[in-house]
Amino acid sequence: MIKLNLGYTVDDIPLASYKEQVKTINEMINKKTGLGNDFLGWTTWPEDYDKEEFLRIQEAAKEIRDNYEVLVVCGIGGSYLGARAAIEALNGLFPTNKLQIIYLGQTLSSNYVCQVLNYLKDKKFAINVISKSGTTTETAIAFRLLKDLLIEKIGQEAAYKAIFATTDKARGALKTEADANGYRTFCIPDDIGGRYSVLTAVGLLPIAAMGSDIQAMMNGAKQAMLDFNNDDLFNNPCYQYACVRNYFYTHQKSVEMFVTYEPQFTQIGEWLKQLFGESEGKDHRGLLPTSVTNSTDLHSMGQFIQEGTPLLFETIIRVKEANYDLVMKNDKNNLDGLNYLEGKKLSFVNEKAFEGTLKAHSETGKVPNVVIEMEKMDEYHLGYLFYFFMRACAMSGYLLDINPFNQPGVEVYKKNMFKLLGKY
Ligand code: PA5
């Protein structure tokens, strides 16, 4: 399902030296004995997810598709990035679906918020508000504004019917409000943190609302769980990848650049940045995750990658099969000089850009390249890929000897902001 190609890593990476550590850590993950062990619910979630809730998610998704023009997904960080990554990866950036998804609650920008609210004025919309704590400022502000607009447009009763809340099963302001107003609610399990929650209702409801097959996604994740929950390092690409990351971190690299050649996978890069950045960036350790979308960014970042400060390695997510394609035609005047491509598919040209860049960066530039290959992008493969990265992130974090499941540092800005806003 996933092939890890280590043929372009410049160095010969001594994977065997990680064998014992991987064995110990894998047991720590499976037995839930490591740091942050009360947040390991995601490891077995593809098998023991709540089946009754899963059916309710599918029903709610159908109701949203059948009755509304727009679904506003209102959340931030782990409460929105996974859904957005999946929706764009599976549907593309110009989807033909009837339902449109709009994201709000991920910014305090009045420019963005006002424009979205203005756009929604004459749209039939539903809201999926997603917040585990139920108190995140960006999300809470956006939700209040959305709710007011909806009530103004269609009245309180219909508005409350159009609100779907994904939150903690018992605690928090959103849960209290949902119970008081009778919104449909979906649960974020106690033992699954935001950035590991894409396969819970957090991601599944919006993904299903767009018409994607979430059962196939869970099946893919389950296969990944079965493939990667073992310490057989030489047959486990997930842990090999984690060790490779650790090798580069301990050998003068401080940045991991995620690379895609598909604009519709750009948000997977955003999801990865949160997953690895928030999991590893603590105790003054961790690789800085960044991302580019090629060939677009070869025309902006390509120069630095090729010849700049040698601080990075690249991780390319390569999906072999294109969902859409076209063949280049002959032009009798050939003024643009492109007739040499006659009869070639556009996906073939993209593939050659990838191969040429791989060689340029790794051979000429001596920038290590790790290639993660998948045959195609569909729900099953994406579920598999999500789990691959989450498990690799847990292994990577433990290799760094940090807690991959907390995020103490994100509270500092909030405290300062609340003080400046006069909350306390
Ligand atoms: O990964 C995390 O924990 C964060 O990104 C949170 O998901 C984000 O801050 C949103 O939090 P909440 O779901 O409580 O609104």
Side-chain angles (χ1 to χ4, degrees), residues 76-79 130-134 136 194-195 274 278 407 414:
I76 194 168
S79 287
I130 310 168
S131 177
K132 188 171 186 186
S133 62
T136 301
R195 57 192 177 275
Q274 189 207 4
E278 221 171 53
Q407 55 284 327
K414 292 183 194 167

Side-chain angles (χ1 to χ4, degrees), residues 19-34:
K19 214 165 168 284
E20 282 314 305
Q21 256 178 303
V22 164
K23 192 168 183 264
T24 310
I25 295 172
N26 181 58
E27 198 172 305
M28 258 163 64
I29 298 173
N30 284 342
K31 293 193 174 157
K32 303 188 180 176
T33 52

Side-chain angles (χ1 to χ4, degrees), residues 90-131:
L90 295 171
N91 300 284
L93 299 176
F94 298 94
T96 47
N97 315 41
K98 256 175 52 213
L99 185 75
Q100 185 189 7
I101 303 271
I102 291 187
Y103 302 93
L104 202 64
Q106 84 289 28
T107 178
L108 293 167
S109 156
S110 57
N111 291 317
Y112 182 86
V113 173
C114 290
Q115 283 193 298
V116 170
L117 293 174
N118 204 31
Y119 177 81
L120 289 170
K121 271 191 185 133
D122 55 5
K123 295 279 183 297
K124 204 170 177 212
F125 72 93
I127 306 166
N128 181 199
V129 55
I130 310 168
S131 177

